[in-house]
Amino acid sequence: MSYEDLENRINQRNVFLRYNVELEGPAIKPEEDEDVVDILPNDEPFKSIALTILHENRDDAINIVKKSLDEGVSPIDIINEGLMKGMDAVSVLYTKGIYFLPDLMLAGDAMMESVKECEAVLGHKSETKATVVSFVAEGDPHDIGKNLILMFLRAGGYEAIDLGRDVPAADIVEAVKEYNPIFITGTALMTTTMTAFPKVVEALQKAGLEVPAIGCGGGAVRKDFVESFPMSVYGVEAYHTPKLADAILKDKKDWKDLRKEYVDIVDEFVPEYS
Amino acid sequence: MKRFTQMEYKDPDEMLFGHAKFPVKIRENMEIGDGYVIPEINVAPGEGTEESKEKMVSESRNIAHSASERAVNIGLPAFILEQEHISQQTNNPDWTAECTKVQIEMLEKYYDEYGIKTALRATPADIRDEEKDSGFWDSDLFNKVIESIEACASNGASIVSIETTGGKSVSDYGIARGDPKAILFGIGVLGSMDMEYMWNKIVLICKKYDCIPGGDTDCSQANTAMFLAGGLLDKDCSHTLAALARAMGAARSLVAVECGAMGPLKDCGYENPIVKAITGVPISAEGKNAVCAHSDLMGNLMAAVTDVWSNESVYHREEMGGTTPEVWLQATGYEAALMNTAIETDNGKILRDLYTLTDKYRDPQALVLAYDNAYRIGQAIVEYGDDPYLRARAAALEAGAIINEAVDAKKMYLTRFERDSLDSALKTLEKLPTESDKFIKDCIRRYSRKIADFDPKNYEL
């Protein structure tokens, strides 16, 4: 029987289902989502600014922000009431599966460049909730996970310091001394590079430094391994990171609390912690 | 360097697992692509073994021992052991030399005692780093990679492969933002240039020894897109854009063969069916027996035209059924046995078509890699074979056309995200210049500014 004959005999629904197509509901505008409606500001110019971020429109975002700054609107208000609200809405749509990674990255780019305009008027960097330091384990060149974490943290209002790939423990110790972070995130792809994480903890302890938590995740990293040394928590998804940071900052949670209360903190079912 | 401007296969129906136009003979031991499929086992060292040379050598020996033992126990006629090196091995070429030597000794022992045909594929890690300012092609890290390749070849490795990373900073940027121009520049231009630089050197080294230059894979780029695209419910990269990235990856991975790589091409190159259609070299592939490493939607389809069937990679540890080399070699071995039974009973093409049709419409990535469509993408590549940029662009446009035809025929269904992302990518790709110089200049201007890690000087641009 020919390839074509075989193909024509198959009832494809008995072989596979494209669930994503099957499940997709009617299209709505992002600003009409009920959770987004609750987040978006009602007053101008903040509403328009938030919408440019929601629509991932970098050029429009910069133009409206510049115009608002010229008109004397406070740069701090533009960041907190406009840009951050737009980014909050983008994050909500991402976690609901309506927006995708490129939406998040493009909205993030638009937000970060608009924040720079505000900072130029402010004359200094805008205030952030706190500082988080992120790195990729020594010996590991894979940094997509780390880059996602940086983006989620920045979108969540944190100053995220990027130490890059293949980072030795000594550099992390120096960064902790310099930035005094509330949280450190580390990613690794291989089991033979995740062994860098306990070495970081050891180096910090040796230097007499205490960090509320070191989040470790990525590729072949295992929860049981991460929980075999102190100061650490196993991070499951990149978008959980700002929620963990919030718990440290607002509720004074430490690494032991994060391990115990992970599911409550990220507010969703996480099999690894069930 | 020979560029492919014609297809070695004249009809896609000529392509079948276990058969390559140009089989590769590994010493007197085995012939790859000569009418049978060979299982390939790939095992990563366990945690802690990176701490010293002694531990790594011992781990390498244990992996080779476990695999050989199970192969003999279940009566496999032949197998390939692939050792993908971790950075500590490549950083220390003397580790590479010793690990290769003990694995070869173990494989030869089993060949001598039981007659099982064995070969070692050694794959040093590409430890070069665009982030560091030491120069991508002129750095200590680059020299370490080359020294490690020589250490493999001179210590008896049967096949040498690598997963080069040229252009990755740019393609990563494009994949994360849905920017097809950046993906095309990263994979089609920078990736191809880097391959040419690297593979001209690798082939020369292999010629000095009795070693086969195997092939490269677009693991660092197209597999990043595939991994981020994930399953049907994931939301990080559209499956249509990942399909276009894969087609571009074929134009890039072809460069290794143009420089003298003979195959079997490396397992995680899902673009391999396209490269095989163009060049006729044997390929390795992975799918349903690589679930230990990752999930994809092409588990059966990737077996259709392969010559070596791999498990991708698994960490060395104990399962209930034995150590991981034992367990996963058994899994790949049984699948290869099924393919070989189909060949022996003259049912090879039926099994090939069943493998293909099981997954063909599951995902746009599977659709473009089905052997008939892979062949079409190969034809688009050879039409512009002399120009790495234009052929990668042509491959992506052909992949887009294949997806759209299947959608029109109501065989392929897309989500809104996949539909929008494909339409937008094709619109961008169609408008791009038809002159390489113009495209490259434009991309250098655009992406040098946007991507901190990308330095055109690393590519002598």
Side-chain angles (χ1 to χ4, degrees):
Chain A
M1 195 175 290
S2 76
Y3 183 46
E4 204 178 354
D5 290 341
L6 282 169
E7 182 166 332
N8 291 334
R9 280 176 72 133
I10 295 174
N11 178 350
Q12 291 178 7
R13 290 188 66 84
N14 291 338
V15 179
F16 69 89
L17 286 175
R18 290 212 85 210
Y19 292 97
N20 47 354
V21 178
E22 304 274 330
L23 291 173
E24 206 168 50
I28 58 162
K29 289 181 181 171
E31 59 269 32
E32 288 169 3
D33 178 88
E34 55 184 15
D35 294 316
V36 170
V37 170
D38 288 343
I39 292 170
L40 288 179
N42 294 315
D43 300 332
E44 290 296 351
F46 308 117
K47 184 179 179 183
S48 299
I49 291 171
L51 281 173
T52 58
I53 301 300
L54 187 65
H55 295 149
E56 307 153 36
N57 194 331
R58 173 188 161 277
D59 292 345
D60 279 3
I62 294 171
N63 288 338
I64 299 181
V65 166
K66 274 185 176 169
K67 186 166 167 276
S68 303
L69 289 166
D70 289 345
E71 288 168 359
V73 182
S74 149
I76 298 286
D77 288 347
I78 289 175
I79 294 172
N80 292 334
E81 301 306 318
L83 298 170
M84 292 306 294
K85 296 286 182 198
M87 208 58 213
D88 285 348
V90 170
S91 296
V92 162
L93 292 179
Y94 176 80
T95 51
K96 289 175 84 167
I98 296 167
Y99 265 20
F100 293 81
L101 178 65
D103 300 305
L104 211 56
M105 298 299 284
L106 294 171
D109 289 348
M111 181 196 72
M112 294 304 290
E113 290 188 41
S114 302
V115 166
K116 276 186 203 158
E117 298 293 336
C118 296
E119 288 175 343
V121 173
L122 269 174
H124 58 80
K125 281 189 84 71
S126 56
E127 277 192 27
T128 52
K129 288 181 187 170
T131 303
V132 177
V133 162
S134 297
F135 70 96
V136 178
E138 185 166 17
D140 207 315
H142 304 90
D143 65 353
I144 277 214
K146 184 259 300 169
N147 293 339
L148 288 180
I149 286 171
L150 288 173
M151 205 265 310
F152 281 111
L153 283 167
R154 285 170 184 159
Y158 286 91
E159 168 82 358
I161 306 292
D162 181 4
L163 297 185
R165 301 186 287 257
D166 185 14
V167 185
D171 292 5
I172 297 160
V173 169
E174 288 310 306
V176 170
K177 285 180 189 165
E178 186 179 349
Y179 300 109
N180 191 27
I182 62 155
F183 190 30
I184 298 176
T185 78
T187 51
L189 183 73
M190 316 266 292
T191 58
T192 48
T193 50
M194 76 178 178
T195 54
F197 297 140
K199 288 173 191 155
V200 170
V201 171
E202 209 179 309
L204 288 169
Q205 285 173 327
K206 219 172 171 181
L209 297 167
E210 174 77 34
V211 181
I214 299 181
C216 306
V221 178
R222 299 193 315 269
K223 180 168 173 276
D224 64 337
F225 178 78
V226 172
E227 295 194 347
S228 68
F229 51 91
M231 233 192 278
S232 61
V233 56
Y234 174 64
V236 181
E237 297 286 350
Y239 67 84
H240 292 164
T241 317
K243 292 180 179 175
L244 299 175
D246 284 347
I248 295 168
L249 187 69
K250 290 181 196 156
D251 305 323
K252 307 292 172 212
K253 303 286 184 190
D254 63 13
W255 56 272
K256 290 178 193 156
D257 303 323
L258 297 185
R259 285 185 188 179
K260 267 187 265 170
E261 300 168 33
Y262 194 97
V263 168
D264 292 335
I265 290 166
V266 303
D267 194 25
E268 66 181 41
F269 177 71
V270 183
E272 289 85 342
Y273 282 93
S274 65
Chain B
M1 187 179 76
K2 173 197 172 185
R3 293 281 188 200
F4 280 92
T5 52
Q6 284 181 16
M7 305 287 281
E8 286 293 344
Y9 279 96
K10 299 303 166 207
D11 186 310
D13 189 51
E14 284 179 55
M15 294 168 71
L16 174 62
F17 50 72
H19 295 78
K21 281 254 163 170
F22 305 106
V24 170
K25 198 165 189 177
I26 307 285
R27 302 192 175 110
E28 296 309 311
N29 208 355
M30 66 168 77
E31 203 149 5
I32 299 167
D34 191 36
Y36 53 93
V37 177
I38 300 168
E40 180 170 34
I41 179 75
N42 178 358
V43 183
E47 72 229 38
T49 53
E50 78 284 0
E51 284 169 6
S52 71
K53 180 179 171 181
E54 290 67 32
K55 284 185 182 176
M56 188 53 61
V57 171
S58 170
E59 181 81 341
S60 301
R61 185 189 292 114
N62 289 343
I63 289 168
H65 173 264
S66 294
S68 304
E69 190 75 14
R70 179 61 61 97
V72 169
N73 259 326
I74 61 168
L76 291 179
F79 81 97
I80 296 174
L81 170 65
E82 180 186 13
Q83 195 64 55
E84 280 186 9
H85 295 182
I86 58 172
S87 65
Q88 288 86 348
Q89 283 168 287
T90 309
N91 263 312
N92 299 284
D94 60 315
W95 292 30
T96 298
E98 194 65 25
C99 292
T100 305
K101 202 171 143 202
V102 297
Q103 291 194 316
I104 284 291
E105 280 168 6
M106 187 62 70
L107 296 177
E108 284 180 350
K109 175 177 173 289
Y110 277 82
Y111 176 64
D112 292 343
E113 286 180 17
Y114 301 99
I116 184 168
K117 295 174 182 174
T118 57
L120 175 69
R121 183 205 291 267
T123 305
D126 187 357
I127 54 174
R128 297 172 299 160
D129 196 335
E130 281 183 280
E131 196 175 69
K132 294 177 180 155
D133 57 3
S134 51
F136 207 45
W137 286 346
D138 178 26
S139 65
D140 292 344
L141 294 173
F142 176 80
N143 292 335
K144 286 272 169 64
V145 174
I146 293 295
E147 280 174 49
S148 287
I149 287 165
E150 182 134 17
C152 295
S154 63
N155 281 282
S158 325
I159 307 160
V160 166
S161 293
I162 192 167
E163 299 174 351
T164 52
T165 59
K168 182 169 169 58
S169 63
V170 179
S171 57
D172 275 357
Y173 172 91
I175 290 163
R177 286 165 179 77
D179 177 349
K181 189 173 170 183
I183 300 172
L184 179 58
F185 184 51
I187 296 178
V189 176
L190 300 176
S192 297
M193 289 173 71
D194 185 50
M195 289 270 286
E196 189 176 334
Y197 191 85
M198 185 67 105
W199 274 91
N200 278 328
K201 291 186 166 35
I202 294 172
V203 170
L204 279 180
I205 292 168
C206 289
K207 276 185 184 163
K208 274 167 67 182
Y209 305 94
D210 187 12
C211 182
I212 302 290
D216 208 308
T217 146
D218 204 29
C219 185
S220 75
Q221 302 177 305
N223 287 14
T224 298
M226 179 179 77
F227 184 80
L228 280 179
L232 297 178
L233 302 179
D234 288 299
K235 52 201 174 194
D236 287 338
C237 175
S238 89
H239 291 229
T240 40
L241 194 64
L244 303 193
R246 182 63 63 191
M248 296 176 204
R252 167 208 167 277
S253 294
L254 176 63
V255 176
V257 184
E258 292 176 326
C259 292
M262 297 162 69
L265 303 182
K266 197 164 146 32
D267 57 347
C268 57
Y270 282 70
E271 63 276 16
N272 284 346
I274 303 170
V275 185
K276 181 174 181 175
I278 297 170
T279 64
V281 303
I283 64 172
S284 181
E286 64 189 43
K288 60 184 166 186
N289 299 116
V291 290
C292 47
H294 61 79
S295 164
D296 65 57
L297 297 165
M298 299 163 269
N300 284 292
L301 181 139
M302 287 310 296
V305 297
T306 195
D307 303 288
V308 177
W309 186 238
S310 163
N311 72 312
E312 161 64 291
S313 185
V314 64
Y315 288 100
H316 192 210
R317 61 169 181 262
E318 289 283 337
E319 305 279 15
M320 278 180 75
T323 61
T324 46
E326 294 177 287
V327 169
W328 291 97
L329 180 58
Q330 184 161 345
T332 53
Y334 274 123
E335 196 64 33
L338 172 64
M339 293 186 234
N340 290 333
T341 304
I343 291 169
E344 294 296 320
T345 58
D346 208 17
N347 285 303
K349 287 189 175 178
I350 291 283
L351 182 58
R352 173 198 66 185
D353 293 346
L354 292 176
Y355 276 140
T356 304
L357 293 168
T358 303
D359 297 333
K360 189 175 180 183
Y361 298 105
R362 198 178 294 275
D363 183 281
Q365 299 170 91
L367 178 70
V368 303
L369 296 174
Y371 68 92
D372 49 334
N373 291 329
Y375 189 89
R376 274 181 61 182
I377 294 173
Q379 286 176 308
I381 289 172
V382 296
E383 194 178 332
Y384 297 93
D386 288 325
D387 186 318
Y389 155 62
L390 286 179
R391 71 189 193 183
R393 175 175 175 259
L397 288 170
E398 187 68 18
I402 288 166
I403 298 168
N404 279 332
E405 285 169 26
V407 169
D408 291 344
K410 297 200 182 314
K411 289 182 170 177
M412 179 93 247
Y413 296 89
L414 302 178
T415 64
R416 277 194 292 275
F417 177 45
E418 290 166 339
R419 178 76 266 163
D420 292 350
S421 138
L422 180 62
D423 290 345
S424 148
L426 290 178
K427 208 166 141 190
T428 302
L429 293 170
E430 277 159 9
K431 278 188 193 159
L432 290 175
T434 48
E435 304 84 29
S436 285
D437 287 352
K438 203 171 163 194
F439 175 73
I440 291 169
K441 270 185 198 155
D442 183 36
C443 286
I444 290 173
R445 231 182 352 255
R446 185 178 173 84
Y447 297 115
S448 305
R449 192 165 43 83
K450 286 178 179 282
I451 305 167
D453 291 352
F454 170 54
D455 182 354
K457 288 198 196 84
N458 283 342
Y459 301 88
E460 294 175 2
L461 285 172

